Amino acid sequence: MTPDAAAWDALRLSLWVAFWATLLAIPLAVWVAWLLARKDFWGKAVLNAAVHLPLVLPPVVTGYLLLLAFGRTAPLGQALNALGIQLAFHWTGAVLAAMIMGFPLMVRAMRLAIEAVDPKLEDTAATLGAPRGMVFFRVTLPLILPGVLAGTVMGFAKAMGEFGATITFVANIPGKTQTLPSAIWAALQIPGGERQAVMMVLMASTVAIAAVLLAELLARRVAARIAGA
Amino acid sequence: MTPDAAAWDALRLSLWVAFWATLLAIPLAVWVAWLLARKDFWGKAVLNAAVHLPLVLPPVVTGYLLLLAFGRTAPLGQALNALGIQLAFHWTGAVLAAMIMGFPLMVRAMRLAIEAVDPKLEDTAATLGAPRGMVFFRVTLPLILPGVLAGTVMGFAKAMGEFGATITFVANIPGKTQTLPSAIWAALQIPGGERQAVMMVLMASTVAIAAVLLAELLARRVAARIAGA
Amino acid sequence: PVTVFAAASLRGALDAVAEDFGADVSISYGGSGTMARQIDAGAPADIVILAAPVWMDWLQERGILGDAPRTYLLGNRLVLVAPADSTIAPDPGNLAASLGDMRLVIGQRDAVPAGIYSREWLQATKQWEALQNMLAETDNVRTALALVARAEMPLGVVYRTDAMAEPKVRVVYTVPDDQHSPIVYPAAALTDAGKVFLKFLQTDESMDIFAAHGFAPVKP
Amino acid sequence: MSLSLTLSHRFADFALDITLEAGPGITALFGRSGAGKSTIINAVGGLLHPNSGRIAVDGDVLLDTDLGIFVPPHKRRLGTVFQDARLFPHLSVSQNLMFGARYAPRGSSGPALKDVVALLGLQDLLDRAPATLSGGQKQRVALGRALLSHPRMLLMDEPLASLDGPRKQEILPFLERLRDGPLGLPILYVSHAVDEIARLADTLVLIQSGRVQAQGPLFDVMADPAAVPLLGVREAGAVIEADVLAHGTDGISTLRISAGTLELPGVHAETGARVRLRVLAQDVILSLTRPEGLSSVNVLPVEVEAIHPGDGPGAAIALRANQDRLLSRVTARAVTELGLRPGLKCYAILKATTVAPGSIGR
Amino acid sequence: MSLSLTLSHRFADFALDITLEAGPGITALFGRSGAGKSTIINAVGGLLHPNSGRIAVDGDVLLDTDLGIFVPPHKRRLGTVFQDARLFPHLSVSQNLMFGARYAPRGSSGPALKDVVALLGLQDLLDRAPATLSGGQKQRVALGRALLSHPRMLLMDEPLASLDGPRKQEILPFLERLRDGPLGLPILYVSHAVDEIARLADTLVLIQSGRVQAQGPLFDVMADPAAVPLLGVREAGAVIEADVLAHGTDGISTLRISAGTLELPGVHAETGARVRLRVLAQDVILSLTRPEGLSSVNVLPVEVEAIHPGDGPGAAIALRANQDRLLSRVTARAVTELGLRPGLKCYAILKATTVAPGSIGR
Ligand SMILES: Nc1ncnc2c1ncn2[C@@H]1O[C@H](COP(=O)(O)OP(=O)(O)OP(=O)(O)O)[C@@H](O)[C@H]1O
Ligand SMILES: Nc1ncnc2c1ncn2[C@@H]1O[C@H](COP(=O)(O)OP(=O)(O)OP(=O)(O)O)[C@@H](O)[C@H]1O
Ligand SMILES: [Mg+2]
Ligand SMILES: [Mg+2]
């Protein structure tokens, strides 16, 4: 038995969604992680809690909240719609849902990496004349690369696997918003659909494992360069 | 409107499940993180991929897989049953599901922390006569404490929020396996159930945020001790 | 193409029916509550088919459906199933006796339509109280069915349509349809395309296919 | 160039209260471990925001806590060599070296990469990762990195502590050239090694427990017999200036000082140049008569100016040799036996080979 | 105690090939930056698994790549002081100091905590976090931590590099006492400072580019004029042994060596003790006649054994003073003027204040 066209569609969409979700989340996650790791500011606790919230809430709830915020009838959704941006019931919404669900994982990994950077190295870069932004891009960022990679792969895996929030926010329209997890879920709704589901589970796993191993490889390279091997 | 008794029951159970899931997962996660961070062995890639799998798979699938492995009719489940350990349809199963779902998050945080520990410090401890295990407990572990805390809080938050795998594996037995997320989900399935759901979402969020902030506080203490402030 | 939002338990039958429709049909399956909320939030559906009348009522109250009359498209029956190779022969009026220390699997009592019907039946036969601590509730009927199919639990209450599609279970009892509220699948067309598709679903050919999957026609 | 600095900072168990003025050239900070030297360097570099204070380089205020001025480190242009090397672990040696180059203002100048690489012996290390370097190699890269950032002043915290003697002997003249060359690069230099300081410094600041114990031109602080205990008995000695008269074929040069001529080996300055000589107090022998038949040919008529008995069995004798001041360390017994007293005229014998190679003077 | 070591290891750009034997006492490794000293320390400590080699301490084989023996570091009991302090950042100073105590075998002994704390001046730092220590303070804690782990041998990689002179002068005698006391603790000691090595070492190993250049008893390697260029011109000198005869009331002690008596300040040994004196070649002046009226009272009749002209303008003169060997560094011109030649009898003048305080000898 081979995966049917719908399964391939779902895989394609999932990859697309996960790709964009991860890509868009990286800079934001790095920034939030940096804020949480290095800055003290009013509302830091709130930000920290907010970042973790998608972990705690049942994904359906997150999906509903998204629907409430960005639905076609919601003011925010209407405003965005006026700008030509449609989120609810659209693959872009799946991207948003995947971003939000993966965000805590990305931020945490990057934050840990940032906390491990010796601020003395950043200070040293400053004494050599590098302004703040340059210090970040030439010292901090390269040093946290393994953490960024770790966060990215976690975010990507989560984006590939996200189901509850996605199906609630963008529904499960084959070829349009049906991601692999939604398709798997749908397959499980008919007796005998397990084989189709197993097929798709294997597809999802393969992609995710490939991503994990690729990230691992890259991280090893970075580490090897630092170790001088 | 106040939460009804069932909501309090669900909260109690969720806390109980999350507590055990986190507690039991910590040593295992630390160990796996250490293996992945520090050792090279045959099958490392497989282990790494396996740890990430629950992130990628829709939770329902994870729940089914658990059922396949630990169900009453599964050999493993029967073996455990013979030992008096019951998982399926039991809160212990919810603990297992929560552990598995939170595991990738815990391992990743701890692994990043371990990778940030300078092996030279561990070597130094060895030159002072400390055998491997002691080096781990007196040097490595205290140094990765912030990472362990981060992982723990992620695992705990995830355990508080886990729904899909849990309900598939242990179903929903009010007072026995009905966790807060599953109560929230149920409330959302009833027209007008939103208020009850909001109530429970607030309960879950409060607990999780408290956990996040507590962990933050502890991590700050540890960091302050190291900085000598 | 026609976009259909349909209750998950229609999966299979509805796919088969849609194959014969002239144009492209996209069917987004989901839980009734979720879909109702999605329709409310402006989902691009041409037609919605739910498994629970309450959610259709809810949509109507919110004025989403206009004054288009709702259609009760299909009906279904509740059955008691056991694993195919089990020899259990329960007394439908006293299930507790057959369960021993095992549990009866039903959909969530208040959340899953099949669970609601099951509760009504068990209440009507006065065994709800006795079974209170002998239930295992699931988040949808399919999970309930799977638990019985895998012999995790000896008995479960599911739709007849599910039982028919799953060879690993055996129907041990069909619940009389006067012991719970009628099981009906209300449908509402939201667009003209939806109306066309709804008409198509109601053709005899379509109804035959539904019937072959175990659905019963609804007599208004 | 001048550095003017007032600092006050409190750590849990330590208080720093410093006021110091340094003219152009090299200002050395000398003091025991924990005296507060690195803290000063950090404050000047902008890595420590002191409780209160004012720091100005050439009238350019870098910090003034009263006025709320705090110039961030990257705008200070003070190349810093830290006590620990602090190399960027993700960059190769050459990338570390060139890190600061792009932030140097247009038109600023400094030593060239190839000169620094050659001086520090880094030719074979350019592609290496810092993690693979030896302790001294790391320190050399850190030194090179600071030199190549085109700073307007260098802050150096024990930059040569883990280097071998020969390498130090190569680097010291280079630092002197930086100071004396067209850049006139001023250096704030922390060291435990008195010989390094005595050779390099123009201004010497002695720091003890967070306070300035003595400060002033090197000649004064070094030739002051009262500073002997702080500098260490074996390290005290005067510094005198000399003109190079001629270089002999055997490598011995003849130099003129105000009191006569000296024959010294290892003088690399050109004929006619003015050089600085360090004469350790312990290398100056006193004789009542002009000695004959000695291997030491440098004998100067001197007059005893003052006698400072030390804590131990030695005494520091301040001598005037025409315009120059010398310091001799003799035993207290010798003071009695030779009848040394202020005003006594006698002879100072300087061992030719014990005169530290002088730096080329200004 | 003896250390016997054969090592061969290859890094990308560096090859180490070492065979060395060290008897009891202190074995010094001396060599330029990047010579391979820390690599040897790491291999002995078990932190580097060399490509091939054999290491045995007192016949106890720690490594033998041929036999596949590799004793893990924690079983070697070699207290190591690394070039970088490597303190445990999460532990206080006192916790760092006591880290190794619990792993010491029952009945093993070593210096007491309070002695080490007093010696290293750590009294006020015990509750501090390593991050708040100065560079020298860190190094002192690292030193104390290694001392307190009751090792059977110490490996020290430039342990005093960032310490001030006075502190060094306190620590060196302590190390000597460890070596000479009941523990007889052997030490493998890396240093760039010749004076430290000349004072401490029993065996000296000169390492250059990963190879042993010279090794042997300190006296031999140090007094060998051929080693002068490796040690540095200003650092060469002989080591002689002397008996303390009497201590004068003015702090000057009288010592007997085979060729006569010396009057020296700063000798802290008891009357009757045997001490070791270092006489720098540059501090020995030669005279054809017995000089009179000099502040220097230590004059020994000597015979010229050999003359080694150096690369520069100086020459190293090997002298025999009865049983003892001395080294004098004079200018080549002086060799001619004084007519120095092997067999010539003349007088060596030793400046009393220039003799390095001797270590208490065996
Ligand atoms: N991991 C490594 N990879 C490659 N080369 C290395 C590595 N470790 C050390 N080296 C090289 O081996 C040589 C010897 O290093 P080592 O640290 O033993 O020197 P050292 O004698 O201790 O020098 P220093 O006095 O500067 O500390 C150096 O050239 C160094 O660059
Ligand atoms: N962050 C800090 N918290 C508390 N005390 C500190 C801190 N940093 C430095 N100190 C203390 O301030 C004093 C001065 O430290 P500093 O590093 O300036 O000494 P130093 O003169 O550079 O010594 P060394 O020669 O050992 O490097 C020391 O006693 C040190 O312990
Ligand atoms: Mg310092
Ligand atoms: Mg080294």
Side-chain angles (χ1 to χ4, degrees):
Chain A
M1 185 183 165
T2 53
D4 61 13
W8 286 116
D9 275 355
L11 174 66
R12 227 183 334 265
L13 183 70
S14 267
L15 280 173
W16 184 244
V17 165
F19 171 78
W20 280 109
T22 318
L23 197 73
L24 293 176
I26 291 173
L28 194 65
V30 170
W31 185 60
V32 170
W34 183 81
L35 282 180
L36 290 176
R38 284 287 160 84
K39 294 278 144 185
D40 267 316
F41 51 91
W42 190 92
K44 179 169 173 177
V46 176
L47 177 64
N48 194 9
V51 166
H52 281 84
L53 219 50
L55 262 187
V56 194
L57 297 184
V60 192
V61 172
T62 308
Y64 274 133
L65 292 176
L66 285 174
L67 207 53
L68 289 180
F70 296 102
R72 287 177 199 227
T73 52
L76 194 58
Q78 282 173 340
L80 286 175
N81 229 330
L83 296 173
I85 299 171
Q86 199 193 332
L87 290 171
F89 313 107
H90 204 260
W91 69 268
T92 48
V95 170
L96 181 64
M99 272 178 75
I100 288 180
M101 295 302 285
F103 204 63
L105 319 188
M106 299 182 76
V107 168
R108 186 52 93 161
M110 297 175 187
R111 179 175 169 186
L112 278 167
I114 293 172
E115 281 167 343
V117 171
D118 187 351
K120 285 182 181 170
L121 286 178
E122 296 168 324
D123 285 352
T124 303
T127 67
L128 291 165
R132 288 221 187 145
M134 281 307 226
V135 172
F136 182 78
F137 282 107
R138 294 185 71 194
V139 178
T140 318
L141 196 56
L143 286 175
I144 64 171
L145 221 54
V148 171
L149 271 169
T152 301
V153 76
M154 300 272 286
F156 183 82
K158 181 72 207 170
M160 284 297 296
E162 213 305 300
F163 163 59
T166 308
I167 199 172
T168 308
F169 185 34
V170 300
N172 185 5
I173 307 167
K176 251 186 93 181
T177 63
Q178 186 175 59
T179 58
L180 211 47
S182 299
I184 292 171
W185 177 82
L188 286 173
Q189 298 312 307
I190 11 169
E194 286 90 353
R195 306 193 78 195
Q196 191 67 29
V198 166
M199 222 64 187
M200 290 188 281
V201 163
L202 289 180
M203 286 163 112
S205 312
T206 309
V207 169
I209 289 172
V212 167
L213 298 185
L214 183 73
E216 199 71 31
L217 213 79
L218 289 175
R220 275 189 184 230
R221 285 238 182 121
V222 174
R225 227 183 68 213
I226 287 181
Chain B
M1 184 181 164
T2 54
D4 61 13
W8 286 114
D9 274 357
L11 174 65
R12 227 183 332 265
L13 184 70
S14 269
L15 280 173
W16 184 244
V17 166
F19 171 77
W20 281 108
T22 318
L23 197 72
L24 293 175
I26 291 173
L28 193 66
V30 171
W31 185 60
V32 170
W34 183 80
L35 283 179
L36 291 176
R38 285 286 160 84
K39 294 278 142 184
D40 267 317
F41 51 93
W42 189 91
K44 178 169 171 173
V46 177
L47 177 64
N48 194 9
V51 165
H52 281 84
L53 219 50
L55 260 187
V56 194
L57 298 183
V60 194
V61 172
T62 307
Y64 269 125
L65 292 176
L66 282 175
L67 209 52
L68 290 182
F70 295 102
R72 284 176 203 239
T73 52
L76 197 57
Q78 282 173 339
L80 285 175
N81 229 329
L83 295 174
I85 299 171
Q86 199 194 333
L87 291 172
F89 309 106
H90 205 262
W91 69 268
T92 48
V95 169
L96 181 65
M99 271 177 76
I100 288 181
M101 296 302 285
F103 205 62
L105 318 188
M106 298 181 78
V107 168
R108 186 53 92 163
M110 297 177 187
R111 178 175 171 185
L112 279 167
I114 293 172
E115 281 167 343
V117 172
D118 187 351
K120 285 183 181 170
L121 286 179
E122 297 168 324
D123 285 353
T124 303
T127 67
L128 292 166
R132 286 220 190 144
M134 282 305 227
V135 172
F136 182 79
F137 283 107
R138 293 186 69 195
V139 177
T140 319
L141 195 57
L143 286 174
I144 64 171
L145 221 53
V148 171
L149 270 169
T152 301
V153 76
M154 302 271 287
F156 182 81
K158 180 74 206 169
M160 286 294 298
E162 214 303 301
F163 164 58
T166 307
I167 197 164
T168 307
F169 184 36
V170 297
N172 188 349
I173 302 168
K176 244 185 112 180
T177 65
Q178 185 173 49
T179 57
L180 210 47
S182 108
I184 293 171
W185 177 83
L188 285 173
Q189 301 310 308
I190 309 164
E194 290 89 351
R195 307 193 76 198
Q196 189 68 25
V198 166
M199 221 63 185
M200 291 187 283
V201 162
L202 288 180
M203 284 163 106
S205 313
T206 309
V207 169
I209 289 173
V212 166
L213 298 184
L214 182 73
E216 199 71 30
L217 212 78
L218 288 176
R220 274 190 183 228
R221 284 238 185 122
V222 175
R225 227 183 69 211
I226 288 181
Chain C
V2 185
T3 302
V4 185
F5 274 42
S9 51
L10 288 170
R11 177 100 220 257
L14 188 58
D15 285 344
V17 173
E19 259 173 40
D20 295 339
F21 188 64
D24 259 0
V25 184
S26 286
I27 310 173
S28 175
Y29 291 103
S32 295
T34 306
M35 281 190 302
R37 285 200 169 82
Q38 288 172 337
I39 300 296
D40 182 45
D46 295 303
I47 171 173
V48 56
I49 311 170
L50 300 181
V54 282
W55 282 109
M56 200 57 97
D57 297 343
W58 182 81
L59 279 177
Q60 205 141 29
E61 275 163 27
R62 297 180 66 86
I64 305 296
L65 304 179
D67 30 42
R70 84 174 67 172
T71 310
Y72 288 108
L73 185 64
L74 296 167
N76 207 340
R77 292 295 295 271
L78 218 51
V79 296
L80 187 63
V81 292
D85 51 6
S86 103
T87 55
I88 194 168
D91 169 8
N94 182 9
L95 294 176
S98 324
L99 285 169
D101 61 350
M102 306 290 261
R103 293 175 179 274
L104 173 70
V105 193
I106 63 173
Q108 265 197 28
R109 59 181 76 189
D110 297 317
V112 179
I116 297 170
Y117 300 131
S118 305
R119 188 193 66 208
E120 288 172 353
W121 166 50
L122 295 173
Q123 282 170 335
T125 53
K126 309 255 182 289
Q127 39 183 341
W128 180 245
E129 289 305 323
L131 286 170
Q132 268 310 295
N133 289 318
M134 312 185 77
L135 297 174
E137 300 170 48
T138 64
D139 63 332
N140 71 46
V141 211
R142 277 288 303 139
T143 312
L145 184 68
L147 288 177
V148 177
R150 285 196 35 79
E152 291 294 339
M153 285 295 162
L155 289 173
V157 184
V158 299
Y159 291 125
R160 181 175 66 192
T161 48
D162 296 318
M164 282 175 67
E166 176 56 83
K168 292 204 212 89
V169 299
R170 162 175 81 81
V171 174
V172 294
Y173 178 67
T174 302
V175 178
D177 58 6
D178 56 358
Q179 292 183 355
H180 53 77
S181 8
I183 303 177
V184 286
Y185 290 76
L190 301 165
T191 63
D192 292 340
K195 283 182 190 140
V196 175
F197 189 69
L198 185 53
K199 280 250 158 51
F200 168 76
L201 289 180
Q202 290 171 301
T203 59
D204 289 346
E205 292 78 5
S206 301
M207 278 303 166
D208 286 346
I209 299 176
F210 279 126
H213 281 84
F215 289 98
V218 178
K219 297 291 165 263
Chain D
M1 214 298 308
S2 71
L3 169 70
S4 133
L5 179 146
T6 311
L7 280 181
S8 170
H9 192 72
R10 241 140 286 278
F11 287 122
D13 307 344
F14 179 81
L16 187 78
D17 267 298
I18 294 281
T19 300
L20 64 86
E21 295 285 335
I26 297 179
T27 302
L29 300 181
F30 182 84
R32 297 196 58 174
S33 169
K37 306 177 296 295
S38 300
T39 307
I40 297 174
I41 293 277
N42 280 339
V44 175
L47 303 185
L48 174 82
H49 203 140
N51 297 147
S52 75
R54 187 171 183 286
I55 301 174
V57 170
D58 259 342
D60 188 355
V61 178
L62 300 181
L63 173 87
D64 191 323
T65 46
D66 287 345
L67 300 181
I69 297 174
F70 178 82
V71 177
H74 70 274
K75 294 204 176 128
R76 295 193 179 191
R77 298 191 52 228
L78 306 174
T80 310
V81 184
F82 295 97
Q83 203 167 356
D84 45 340
R86 300 197 194 173
L87 301 184
F88 301 120
H90 58 295
L91 300 179
S92 70
V93 166
S94 63
Q95 287 168 325
N96 265 283
L97 287 173
M98 293 310 291
F99 189 93
R102 75 166 76 167
Y103 307 114
R106 252 162 227 275
S108 69
S109 58
L113 178 63
K114 74 171 183 6
D115 294 341
V116 169
V117 166
L119 167 77
L120 299 170
L122 302 175
Q123 302 87 343
D124 299 337
L125 305 177
L126 290 176
D127 293 328
R128 292 267 286 273
T132 69
L133 300 181
S134 80
Q137 287 168 342
K138 280 184 194 147
Q139 209 174 18
R140 283 184 268 156
V141 177
L143 185 58
R145 183 177 63 176
L147 292 173
L148 289 167
S149 68
H150 291 194
R152 59 173 168 178
M153 178 170 174
L154 278 171
L155 310 179
M156 311 184 108
D157 198 348
E158 304 194 34
L160 310 182
S162 58
L163 295 186
D164 53 283
R167 178 71 64 194
K168 275 187 201 169
Q169 296 310 321
E170 284 166 39
I171 294 176
L172 290 174
F174 184 81
L175 294 179
E176 288 166 346
R177 286 201 296 281
L178 284 179
R179 171 192 63 187
D180 302 331
L183 296 175
L185 199 62
I187 305 179
L188 190 58
Y189 193 93
V190 172
S191 176
H192 288 302
V194 187
D195 60 345
E196 255 171 65
I197 286 183
R199 166 158 183 184
L200 281 180
D202 299 291
T203 307
L204 176 56
V205 183
L206 301 179
I207 295 177
Q208 199 163 30
S209 307
R211 279 158 202 288
V212 172
Q213 200 69 13
Q215 68 175 308
L218 174 82
F219 297 179
D220 294 351
V221 179
M222 289 287 288
D224 182 352
V228 171
L230 274 168
L231 290 167
V233 162
R234 287 179 61 82
E235 301 290 358
V239 178
I240 54 179
E241 285 190 306
D243 294 311
V244 181
L245 291 184
H247 294 291
T249 49
D250 54 1
I252 304 287
S253 310
T254 310
L255 296 97
R256 184 176 50 225
I257 59 170
S258 64
T261 60
L262 296 176
E263 312 251 296
L264 300 176
V267 174
H268 299 296
E270 313 224 319
T271 305
R274 182 145 253 246
V275 299
R276 197 153 95 158
L277 303 174
R278 179 174 173 224
V279 185
L280 289 181
Q282 63 181 14
D283 287 343
V284 177
I285 302 177
L286 294 182
S287 175
L288 295 176
T289 57
R290 180 176 277 273
E292 304 295 334
L294 272 180
S295 65
S296 174
V297 295
N298 295 308
V299 179
L300 297 173
V302 294
E303 182 182 320
V304 175
E305 279 203 329
I307 299 176
H308 286 255
D311 290 337
I317 316 292
L319 305 167
R320 177 155 295 276
N322 197 350
Q323 312 279 43
D324 295 306
R325 298 177 71 201
L326 286 176
L327 206 56
S328 172
R329 205 177 129 68
V330 299
T331 58
R333 187 182 288 186
V335 173
T336 321
E337 286 183 1
L338 296 178
L340 298 182
R341 61 181 189 279
L344 179 77
K345 301 215 188 264
C346 55
Y347 294 88
I349 306 167
L350 279 57
K351 283 210 65 184
T353 49
T354 60
V355 175
S359 57
I360 298 162
R362 265 77 43 74
Chain E
M1 218 298 308
S2 72
L3 170 71
S4 136
L5 180 147
T6 312
L7 280 182
S8 169
H9 191 75
R10 242 141 285 279
F11 287 123
D13 305 347
F14 179 81
L16 187 77
D17 269 299
I18 294 281
T19 301
L20 64 86
E21 296 285 335
I26 297 178
T27 303
L29 300 180
F30 182 86
R32 297 196 59 173
S33 168
K37 306 177 296 296
S38 300
T39 307
I40 297 174
I41 293 277
N42 280 338
V44 176
L47 303 185
L48 175 82
H49 203 139
N51 295 149
S52 75
R54 187 171 183 286
I55 300 174
V57 170
D58 257 345
D60 187 357
V61 178
L62 300 182
L63 173 87
D64 191 322
T65 46
D66 287 345
L67 300 181
I69 297 175
F70 179 81
V71 177
H74 69 275
K75 295 204 176 128
R76 296 193 179 194
R77 298 193 50 227
L78 305 174
T80 310
V81 184
F82 294 97
Q83 204 166 358
D84 44 341
R86 300 200 194 169
L87 300 185
F88 302 119
H90 59 295
L91 300 179
S92 69
V93 166
S94 62
Q95 287 169 325
N96 265 283
L97 288 173
M98 293 310 293
F99 189 92
R102 72 166 77 168
Y103 307 114
R106 252 161 227 275
S108 70
S109 58
L113 177 64
K114 73 172 185 7
D115 294 343
V116 170
V117 166
L119 168 78
L120 299 169
L122 301 175
Q123 300 87 343
D124 299 338
L125 305 177
L126 291 175
D127 294 328
R128 293 267 288 272
T132 69
L133 299 181
S134 81
Q137 288 168 342
K138 281 183 193 147
Q139 209 174 16
R140 285 183 267 153
V141 177
L143 185 57
R145 184 176 62 177
L147 292 175
L148 289 169
S149 69
H150 290 195
R152 59 174 170 180
M153 179 170 173
L154 278 170
L155 310 178
M156 311 185 107
D157 199 347
E158 303 195 33
L160 311 183
S162 58
L163 294 187
D164 52 283
R167 177 70 63 193
K168 275 187 201 169
Q169 295 312 320
E170 283 165 38
I171 294 176
L172 291 174
F174 183 83
L175 295 179
E176 288 166 346
R177 286 199 298 280
L178 285 179
R179 171 191 64 186
D180 302 331
L183 297 174
L185 200 63
I187 305 179
L188 189 61
Y189 193 95
V190 172
S191 176
H192 288 304
V194 187
D195 58 349
E196 253 169 66
I197 286 183
R199 164 155 187 189
L200 280 182
D202 300 289
T203 306
L204 177 56
V205 183
L206 301 179
I207 296 178
Q208 199 162 32
S209 307
R211 279 159 204 287
V212 171
Q213 200 69 15
Q215 68 174 309
L218 174 82
F219 296 0
D220 293 355
V221 179
M222 289 286 291
D224 182 354
V228 172
L230 274 170
L231 289 167
V233 162
R234 288 179 59 82
E235 301 290 356
V239 177
I240 53 178
E241 284 189 303
D243 293 309
V244 180
L245 291 185
H247 292 292
T249 48
D250 55 359
I252 304 289
S253 310
T254 310
L255 297 97
R256 185 176 49 223
I257 60 170
S258 65
T261 60
L262 296 175
E263 312 249 300
L264 301 176
V267 175
H268 298 298
E270 311 225 319
T271 305
R274 183 143 252 247
V275 299
R276 196 154 99 161
L277 302 174
R278 178 173 174 224
V279 185
L280 288 179
Q282 64 182 9
D283 286 343
V284 177
I285 302 175
L286 295 181
S287 175
L288 295 176
T289 56
R290 178 175 279 273
E292 303 295 334
L294 271 181
S295 65
S296 175
V297 295
N298 295 309
V299 178
L300 298 174
V302 296
E303 182 182 320
V304 175
E305 281 201 331
I307 298 175
H308 286 253
D311 291 339
I317 315 295
L319 305 168
R320 178 158 293 276
N322 196 351
Q323 311 279 43
D324 296 306
R325 298 178 72 201
L326 287 175
L327 205 58
S328 172
R329 205 179 129 67
V330 301
T331 59
R333 185 181 287 182
V335 173
T336 321
E337 288 183 359
L338 297 177
L340 298 182
R341 62 182 188 280
L344 177 76
K345 303 216 188 267
C346 56
Y347 294 88
I349 308 168
L350 279 60
K351 283 209 66 186
T353 49
T354 60
V355 174
S359 57
I360 298 163
R362 261 77 45 76

